[in-house]
């Protein structure tokens, strides 16, 4: 067996690359044909009219923009988040964009009872669930070794993992009845290593593996769309991020961060369009995929490249929120508003 594995180690990787080189054009052509057909001939806007869509983490960021995109397609929305007042404003915007009805539910996605409550309220009100969009997410920007308050570790896992699993578990029987779909807001960090995101990446990796396995269990009865993104800024908030109040924690202060990268609106538009077409994956931007080939076939090259680009030289600059250490170089404004360099909140 050892000899066999040694031989396969030598021949399988280059043979796979050759096969991929020949198969890639054909796969691209097939995918393009499927996209054209589903986009221009299936009329997904009409297919979604008056369908019921539940969106968690809908009070800001990606979740908010996803609500607006669905509203333009004439769906009935159920918006879920902790900030009820914020949801009221978003529900009014969604109605103006075309949603025939909007229900808001103040709930915490990391509490199973809350998840059961907002799904039951949806069924009692509308009798069905067609799409469940899990968009609640929380990241961090501290180095793992700097964290002295380990109480934040399970909080990150709760929001990024269980905050998706609990709503899915409760909604799954109703999604089977409607032949519905689960939409997952993931991230490229689930396989692409980036510094200061170790716990976030671990949670997203667990999330992806959970839903990839769930695909086989639900077969064709329930669709699953996994949306992965790289860096997502927001023009709506002009660089200001407010952590979704998905758990009792100390990360509730306003973030003032320079927002860069692709806008949230474009990613949300791609997610909704992909979900309505029945796409299994939505990727933004898609060129990140090339790094996955290096991850599989040449991991050392990927490691050296990111070492050079991301961690080479310079002093480490990090957020100390959640690490049990005081903020450094705090100005009076920072002290008053507890502004930190926190990079990813959806």
């Amino acid at each position: 067996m050892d000899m066999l594995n040694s031989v396969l180690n030598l021949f399988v990787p280059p043979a796979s690359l050759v096969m991929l080189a020949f198969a890639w054009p054909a796969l691209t052509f097939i995918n393009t044909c499927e996209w054209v057909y589903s986009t221009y001939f299936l009329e997904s806007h009409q297919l979604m009219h008056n369908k019921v869509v539940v969106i968690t983490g809908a009070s800001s960021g990606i979740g908010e923009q996803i609500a607006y995109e669905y509203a333009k397609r004439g769906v009935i929305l159920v918006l879920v988040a902790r900030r009820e007042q914020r949801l009221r404003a978003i529900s009014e915007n969604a109605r103006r964009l075309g949603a025939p009805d909007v229900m808001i539910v103040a709930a915490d996605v990391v509490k199973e009872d809350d998840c059961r409550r907002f799904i039951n309220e949806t069924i009692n009100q509308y009798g069905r669930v067609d799409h469940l969009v899990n968009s609640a997410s929380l990241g961090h920007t501290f180095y793992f070794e700097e964290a002295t308050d380990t109480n934040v570790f399970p909080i990150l896992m709760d929001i990024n993992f269980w905050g998706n699993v609990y709503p899915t578990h409760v909604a799954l029987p109703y999604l089977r009845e409607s032949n519905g779909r689960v939409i997952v807001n993931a991230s490229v960090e689930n396989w692409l290593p980036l510094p200061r995101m170790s716990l976030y990446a671990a949670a997203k990796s667990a999330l992806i593996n959970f839903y990839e396995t769930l695909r086989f269990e639900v077969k064709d009865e329930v669709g699953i769309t996994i949306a992965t993104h790289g860096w997502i800024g927001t023009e709506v908030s002009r660089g200001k991020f407010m952590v979704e109040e998905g758990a009792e924690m100390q990360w509730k202060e306003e973030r003032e961060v320079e927002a860069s990268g692709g806008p949230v609106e474009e990613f949300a538009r791609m997610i909704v369009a992909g979900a309505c077409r029945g796409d299994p994956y939505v990727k933004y931007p898609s060129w990140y995929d090339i790094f996955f080939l290096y991850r599989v076939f040449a991991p050392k090259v990927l490691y050296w490249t990111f070492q050079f680009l991301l961690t080479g030289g310079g002093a480490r600059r990090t957020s100390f929120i959640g690490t049990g250490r005081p903020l450094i170089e705090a100005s009076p404004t920072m002290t008053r508003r507890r502004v930190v360099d926190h990079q990813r909140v959806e």
Side-chain angles (χ1 to χ4, degrees), residues 144-306:
F144 179 72
E145 64 181 338
E146 293 172 337
T148 59
D149 181 7
T150 57
N151 289 325
V152 303
F153 293 175
I155 291 172
L156 282 161
M157 295 300 294
D158 283 347
I159 295 176
N160 291 311
F161 183 73
W162 296 114
N164 290 260
V165 173
Y166 285 148
T168 301
H169 182 259
V170 176
L172 206 53
Y174 306 107
L175 291 169
R176 284 184 183 273
E177 292 179 3
S178 64
N179 197 223
R181 178 164 294 270
V182 180
I183 295 89
V184 187
N185 175 32
S187 171
V188 74
E189 279 87 3
N190 77 86
W191 59 265
L192 186 64
L194 291 176
R196 302 193 299 182
M197 293 185 181
S198 55
L199 297 172
Y200 176 84
K204 292 297 184 181
S205 181
L207 191 66
I208 295 295
N209 279 279
F210 167 76
Y211 280 106
E212 292 289 15
T213 303
L214 189 62
R215 281 191 204 275
F216 292 98
E217 296 183 7
V218 299
K219 301 179 181 178
D220 296 330
E221 297 178 23
V222 178
I224 296 177
T225 295
I226 298 175
T228 57
H229 60 79
W231 171 250
I232 293 290
T234 172
E235 296 174 349
V236 175
S237 58
R238 296 182 182 179
K240 296 180 180 180
F241 291 80
M242 182 72 72
V243 167
E244 169 61 43
E245 297 179 17
E248 275 67 12
M249 57 188 300
Q250 59 200 41
W251 296 349
K252 293 185 180 179
E253 55 284 306
E254 185 180 26
R255 270 77 171 175
E256 289 187 352
V257 188
E258 289 298 324
S260 59
V264 172
E265 293 93 332
E266 184 175 352
F267 182 52
R269 193 176 304 116
M270 291 178 62
I271 291 175
V272 176
C276 293
R277 287 194 302 264
D279 293 350
Y281 301 98
V282 173
K283 300 175 183 180
Y284 181 85
S286 59
W287 62 265
Y288 274 77
D289 285 353
I290 192 62
F291 292 118
F292 189 74
L293 292 177
Y294 285 99
R295 172 72 181 269
V296 174
F297 294 105
K300 287 186 177 180
V301 173
L302 184 66
Y303 176 77
W304 293 332
T305 301
F306 276 78

Side-chain angles (χ1 to χ4, degrees), residues 40-111:
Y40 296 103
F41 296 99
L42 286 183
E43 299 180 350
S44 58
H45 281 70
Q46 295 183 15
L47 291 175
M48 288 302 297
H49 188 69
N50 282 332
K51 294 294 180 68
V52 179
V53 177
V54 179
I55 305 174
T56 68
S59 64
S60 62
I62 293 175
E64 177 183 355
Q65 295 305 315
I66 288 175
Y68 296 153
E69 292 300 322
Y70 270 113
K72 295 174 185 176
R73 296 170 183 260
V75 307
I76 297 170
L77 290 172
V78 179
L79 306 181
V80 180
R82 297 249 321 184
R83 292 178 288 174
E84 184 175 359
Q85 197 63 33
R86 175 64 178 158
L87 288 177
R88 294 186 186 279
I90 294 171
S91 69
E92 292 303 316
N93 293 338
R95 286 189 175 92
R96 284 194 292 270
L97 289 171
D101 193 22
V102 182
M103 180 170 72
I104 62 173
V105 183
D108 188 341
V109 293
V110 304
K111 297 177 181 177

